[in-house]
Amino acid sequence: MAAQIRIGQGLDVHAFEEGNFVTLAGVQIPHTHGLKAHSDGDVVLHALCDALLGALALGDIGQHFPDTDPNFKDADSKVLLKHVYQLILDRGYLLNNADITVACERPKLAKHNLEMRQSIADVLNVDVTQVSIKATTTEQLGFTGRQEGILAMATVLISHAK
C-alpha cells in the first residue's frame, strides 16, 4: 500500500532581464528588472509545482510543461499550479502545508508576504495558514547576492484523504 503521507521538495531559479516587475506566487511585484523565462518566470510557483509533483513521483514541471512547447510561452504559472494540484487531488491526496523560501537581495518581499500566501491558497483552495513564504538574502554571495536572479525552494507535505 502507498504511503498515506508524502513529502516533496522543489527548487527553481530564473535570471533577471529587462523589465519593471517580477511575478512571485502569482503576484506582480514592482522591481527594476523582470525574470527571463519561457512562461511568466514565477520561481515560487514553479518550485511549488515541482514539490507537489515530487511528492507523488510524477516527474517535474519541465516534463508536464516543456519550454519547447509554444503553448506554454508566457503561461500564467497559477494555471500550471492548478493543473498540478489537480493531479494530486485525482490521486486522493490533499495539501497539508507548503513551506517556501525565496532567496534574493531585491526586491524586498516582506510587505507582499500575505498577498503571495493568499494567492497560492486561493489557487489551491486551502487556508492561507497552510502556506508559508519566507524571504532571505544570501548576504551578497552568489548569483542572488549579485542580483542576477531569484531562487525559490518549496517543501510540501501531502496526505491521503480518508
Side-chain angles (χ1 to χ4, degrees), residues 2 18 20 27 29 39 44 48 59 66 71 74 77 85 90 100 104-105 109 113 117 129 134 154 156 158:
E18 214 173 284
N20 56 11
V27 176
I29 298 172
S39 67
V44 171
L48 183 54
N71 291 320
D74 300 322
S77 293
Y85 194 54
D90 289 348
I100 301 159
C104 62
E105 298 292 323
L109 301 178
N113 186 277
R117 290 174 56 220
T129 62
K134 304 171 307 290
V156 298
I158 63 173

Side-chain angles (χ1 to χ4, degrees), residues 20-33:
N20 56 11
F21 69 89
V22 295
T23 301
L24 299 174
V27 176
Q28 283 192 356
I29 298 172
H31 188 47
T32 57
H33 292 83

Side-chain angles (χ1 to χ4, degrees), residues 24-30 78 109-123 128 131 133:
L24 299 174
V27 176
Q28 283 192 356
I29 298 172
K78 291 187 292 185
L109 301 178
K111 68 181 178 182
H112 304 283
N113 186 277
L114 182 58
E115 184 180 8
M116 292 189 299
R117 290 174 56 220
Q118 190 63 60
S119 174
I120 291 170
D122 290 347
V123 171
V128 71
V131 180
I133 298 179

